[in-house]
Amino acid sequence: KLEVYYREQLVPPLEEGNTYNFSMRKPTIDDGCGANAYAAWESKIYVVVCGGLDGTEIRTVDKVVLSLGFEVSTEDFFDPVYLVRNLASLFGIPSTRIRVPKIAAGSTLAELDIL
């Protein structure tokens, strides 16, 4: 996820929630420094950029977007208790179609079957 900051202050997107809004309003200079909008269908972020030593900054935040407007941290996403539910939500399929036969503690590798 990308977040926009202006002078170390978080600037929320013009339209929060549905990033697949094809008629979304893109920011203009009249919206002020750091005004932003994310167009998921284009994989683009639109930002009003202003200069200076402490100007506009775009930061990457470690989050996984499961569905429109639903975000969790990477630690919560890979929580073994909710992993199957989170993967099903991510792929848009029922959780009954996912089976995790093996997860090794401390490992970044996991076997996964999608039925």
Side-chain angles (χ1 to χ4, degrees), residues 87-100:
L87 287 170
S89 180
L90 180 67
F91 293 126
I93 61 174
S95 59
T96 56
R97 293 191 54 205
I98 296 179
R99 181 178 57 206
V100 182

Side-chain angles (χ1 to χ4, degrees), residues 2 19 28 32 34 37 39 42 45 54 58 65-66 68 78 88-90 92 104:
L2 299 174
T19 58
T28 66
E42 297 177 313
I45 186 168
D54 54 354
I58 301 172
V65 179
L66 292 181
L68 300 178
F78 290 106
S89 180
L90 180 67

Side-chain angles (χ1 to χ4, degrees), residues 72-83:
V72 296
S73 68
T74 52
E75 292 82 20
D76 290 340
F77 181 82
F78 290 106
D79 182 331
V81 175
Y82 300 110
L83 180 61

Side-chain angles (χ1 to χ4, degrees), residues 16-21 40-41 65-71 89-90:
E16 298 236 24
N18 187 357
T19 58
Y20 286 90
N21 178 359
W41 72 94
V65 179
L66 292 181
S67 61
L68 300 178
F70 181 62
E71 300 172 357
S89 180
L90 180 67

